[in-house]
Amino acid sequence: MNDPEQTLWRTTCTEAVTALPLSSDTTVDLAIIGGGYTGCSAALTAARTGASVCLLEAQKIGFGGSGRNVGLVNAGLWLPPDDIRAHIGAEAGDRLIDLLGKAPSDVFSLIEEHGIACEPIRNGTLHCAHSAAGLKNLQTRHAQLSGSGAPVALLSVDQARDRTGSDAFHGALFDPRAGTIQPLAYVMGLARAASQAGAQIHEQSPVQTLRHEGGQWVLTTPGGTVRAKSVIQATNAYHLGLPDTAPAYVPVYYFQYATTPLSHNLRASILPQAEGCWDTGLIMTSFRLDQAGRMIIGGMGDLGNAGRSAHTGWVRRKLAELYPQLADQPFEQGWHGRIAMTSDHIPKITQIGPNALAAHGYSGRGIGPGTVFGRMMAESLIAAEPSLLPVPAVHEHRESWTRMRRAFFESGAALTHLIKARF
């Protein structure tokens, strides 16, 4: 439980893909940097069109945020619809809202089509009101989502209690489009499906240099060189090297703890329909069950620094607050991941060169948007048609005071968790 690099998802993942390090030179239509949701979705999409593809992952498939995810397959972004339209305009906003509203269907269709063993449950998600103010926020979201055609339902305090098995909430927003998965198994399944479709998948193959010369891209790794017509950089919050194309974002850390599997009696009283949940708190809490009946609870914070003890103390108290019957349930594992947050909470696609795109900034919503953005970037590059992108590509995206804001988020989370763990 003390190694945040060893996640529950890696322990329980049954999907596998053969992905040896690159050991020779190759020439392809599309080179992809990064083996998370975006990269693997792009590789699968391109390979299925008959394009030659080489995906290069510096560590292991799903090493970054994709393998540390909560596993909530949410519809849409964290922002409510009106905020999305305000940031990118009504027409572009409506298109993005529609695309990402359908993202869970895309994810679960891929799971079914390729037989991905990732514990898929599509029983919806619950956004839970932690306070009266939180309920007002959900009422606003409900109105905006309903007005945009989403089949969401606002649950009363009694309905929220019945659905969660907890007395802690003032109500909840139910989204039937969404669900839960084993997040690492999903991305491993995408990589396996891409490999079966003909894509070259290579782990332990960090890209050391990336340059455009003679009308093509040249990517060098310790074991070989890849030449490609097009490039997708899908490194998000786990970008290594390549300073000229580094994404600009605020790094936010999110941790999770998993209990040992609950007894049948305990499971019967908690989340009887197995929805994935998160609350309206400024320092958000997420909670859900996995297939084995472990309670997985998380919050903002980095388990790798001095705030670990505060986060750990808080999570024990928070679990007891939500479910008093779990107060003494032992934790089996704890881990954390890094989120790429943009100031407006809208993902960015950057044109990093001729026929080269990078995506980042899912702001904690990686599964659905990553799947959609990866697919549509591959389609756009193969067809040489920028209008196929989910959002227009920009030539540059900047974020200011990223280190200070990262420290602010972490210190705020640690202080909040320290106070709430003691009182």
Side-chain angles (χ1 to χ4, degrees):
M1 191 182 77
N2 294 323
D3 182 4
E5 299 300 322
Q6 181 57 39
T7 71
L8 171 72
W9 309 131
R10 198 161 290 280
T11 301
T12 62
C13 180
T14 59
E15 279 285 348
V17 60
T18 300
L20 299 175
L22 182 68
S23 59
S24 62
D25 297 343
T26 188
T27 299
V28 295
D29 296 316
L30 175 64
I32 299 168
I33 307 170
Y37 301 128
T38 304
C40 291
S41 175
L44 174 58
T45 299
R48 291 172 68 173
T49 70
S52 54
V53 182
C54 181
L55 183 150
L56 301 168
E57 164 57 45
Q59 303 285 343
K60 297 179 180 180
I61 297 298
F63 173 83
S66 299
R68 304 162 193 270
N69 198 282
V70 175
L72 303 184
V73 187
N74 286 304
L77 294 174
W78 179 78
L79 287 178
D82 285 0
D83 288 10
I84 295 173
R85 297 185 185 101
H87 282 297
I88 64 175
E91 183 177 350
D94 284 342
R95 182 167 185 264
L96 186 61
I97 290 164
D98 180 64
L99 285 170
L100 297 186
K102 297 173 181 174
S105 291
D106 294 338
V107 170
F108 287 102
S109 293
L110 286 170
I111 291 168
E112 182 176 3
E113 180 181 358
H114 298 287
I116 300 175
C118 63
E119 305 179 14
I121 299 177
R122 197 176 186 185
N123 286 354
T125 54
L126 295 169
H127 192 179
C128 301
H130 79 297
S131 65
L135 181 59
K136 290 182 180 180
N137 177 275
L138 293 186
Q139 291 168 340
T140 299
R141 287 176 179 268
H142 176 257
Q144 292 186 24
L145 287 165
S146 297
S148 300
V152 293
L154 192 63
L155 306 184
S156 69
V157 61
D158 291 336
Q159 290 171 318
R161 181 187 305 113
D162 291 342
R163 296 289 277 271
T164 62
S166 174
D167 294 322
F169 303 113
H170 294 242
L173 186 63
F174 173 62
D175 192 334
R177 300 172 294 176
T180 62
I181 58 173
Q182 208 275 30
L184 177 62
Y186 172 60
V187 72
M188 292 287 286
L190 289 179
R192 186 254 301 162
S195 178
Q196 290 172 340
Q200 302 175 46
I201 309 291
H202 298 286
E203 295 179 328
Q204 304 296 331
S205 300
V207 177
Q208 298 170 313
T209 64
L210 171 66
R211 65 184 187 276
H212 192 258
E213 62 180 30
Q216 63 181 348
W217 287 94
V218 181
L219 300 81
T220 62
T221 77
T225 298
V226 178
R227 297 178 180 274
K229 296 177 184 177
S230 303
V231 169
I232 290 175
Q233 179 178 285
T235 53
N236 203 26
Y238 284 80
H239 188 81
L240 295 174
L242 303 179
D244 292 341
T245 61
Y249 64 90
V250 178
V252 175
Y253 287 76
Y254 198 87
F255 69 88
Q256 297 172 79
Y257 276 93
T259 69
T260 54
L262 307 183
S263 68
H264 177 75
N265 288 340
L266 286 175
R267 289 179 69 174
S269 65
I270 295 171
L271 294 171
Q273 298 184 52
E275 299 99 337
C277 306
W278 75 102
D279 71 12
T280 54
L282 181 62
I283 305 298
M284 187 188 82
T285 303
S286 63
F287 56 102
R288 54 163 294 204
L289 296 172
D290 75 347
Q291 185 171 268
R294 299 176 182 88
M295 170 57 70
I296 301 161
I297 180 169
M300 187 183 296
D302 181 357
L303 296 184
N305 71 10
R308 180 187 180 94
S309 60
H311 301 319
T312 303
W314 166 84
V315 79
R316 171 56 68 192
R317 182 178 176 85
K318 186 66 177 182
L319 182 60
E321 176 187 313
L322 294 177
Y323 298 106
Q325 65 270 45
L326 302 185
D328 297 322
Q329 189 74 20
F331 287 125
E332 181 177 304
Q333 214 157 24
W335 67 97
H336 68 257
R338 192 161 60 244
I339 295 169
M341 190 81 72
T342 59
S343 295
D344 59 10
H345 305 297
I346 293 176
K348 309 301 176 188
I349 294 179
T350 308
Q351 187 89 42
I352 58 175
N355 304 315
L357 299 171
H360 78 282
Y362 300 123
S363 297
R365 290 283 180 108
I367 297 174
T371 299
V372 170
F373 273 54
R375 182 191 79 233
M376 298 183 79
M377 286 197 296
E379 292 170 342
S380 174
L381 288 171
I382 290 168
E385 182 47 74
S387 67
L388 295 178
L389 293 173
V391 293
V394 297
H395 288 286
E396 185 179 39
H397 174 71
R398 293 185 178 182
E399 293 282 344
S400 59
W401 306 102
T402 55
R403 291 185 180 180
M404 183 177 294
R405 289 158 69 192
R406 179 260 190 267
F408 172 79
F409 285 130
E410 176 58 30
S411 60
L415 181 60
T416 298
H417 289 165
L418 181 63
I419 292 171
K420 290 188 175 182
R422 292 184 174 181
F423 299 99

